[in-house]
Structure formats: C-alpha cells, structure tokens
Amino acid sequence: MLIGLMVMPGYDHMPYLPFPPTWRVYTPVAKLAHRLESYAEALELNVRTSSLVVNAMQDGDLWNVRISRGDGCERTITVKHIVFAIGFGLEESALPMYPGMVIIE
C-alpha cells in the first residue's frame, strides 16, 4: 500500500528552497519525509520531532522552553524563535495566549 499526501507546490512552499515545478500533487509519504529532512539539513535547522512543549516563557527577546521528548526525558532550551508545527486541516485553530501578546488581523 502506498500512502500519498496532498502537497500543493503553489501553496505549500518552503522558503529559500521551493518545491520543484515538477513536484507531484499526491506525493508518496517517504518522498515528502525525505524532502523535509533534506530541507532541515540544508538550512541547518534544529528540528525536534516527537516532542511536547510543556512550558514556554518569554524572557525579553528570548524564550525559555521546557520540552518533553518521546522517551520521557525533559530539557529546557533558550531560543529566539519557536515554531509549533501541529499539522493542518483543523476546522478551528487553537492559539495559545500569553501576557503582552499582540494579535494582528
């Protein structure tokens, strides 16, 4: 059984390394996984999968983020930016609120 994921190259773009124009709309999952791993490696992104953000506190321009990994270990990291990749296709988004947050509509 081949699982195909719908990826619309004109809409689901990857900054700096866009999908090639010949990219299939229904892409085999292994091919898309390889593309995402290659993208993270090429841009030297520090990606943590199978992780749960337990707590995120802003401290000036930085964030102190406590992460629980799939194996149960926890660690705290300090970063400038956080990207929550929770998937897509939800009817309603869940936007976490924090003090001083500015919402742009």
Side-chain angles (χ1 to χ4, degrees), residues 14-82:
M14 313 266 294
Y16 309 110
L17 295 173
F19 287 105
T22 56
W23 192 267
R24 294 173 39 189
V25 172
Y26 292 98
T27 303
V29 68
K31 182 176 182 174
L32 181 59
H34 178 70
R35 171 76 178 178
L36 294 173
E37 289 174 354
S38 299
Y39 181 84
E41 183 178 340
L43 296 180
E44 298 178 355
L45 301 176
N46 191 357
V47 177
R48 287 181 169 74
T49 59
S50 300
S51 301
L52 173 69
V53 174
V54 177
N55 192 340
M57 299 290 294
Q58 193 170 18
D59 183 13
D61 291 339
L62 300 176
W63 289 87
N64 295 314
V65 184
R66 189 162 42 114
I67 299 172
S68 175
R69 297 295 311 251
D71 60 4
C73 71
E74 285 192 4
R75 71 182 289 190
T76 300
I77 59 173
T78 301
V79 295
K80 288 184 178 181
H81 308 283
I82 305 173

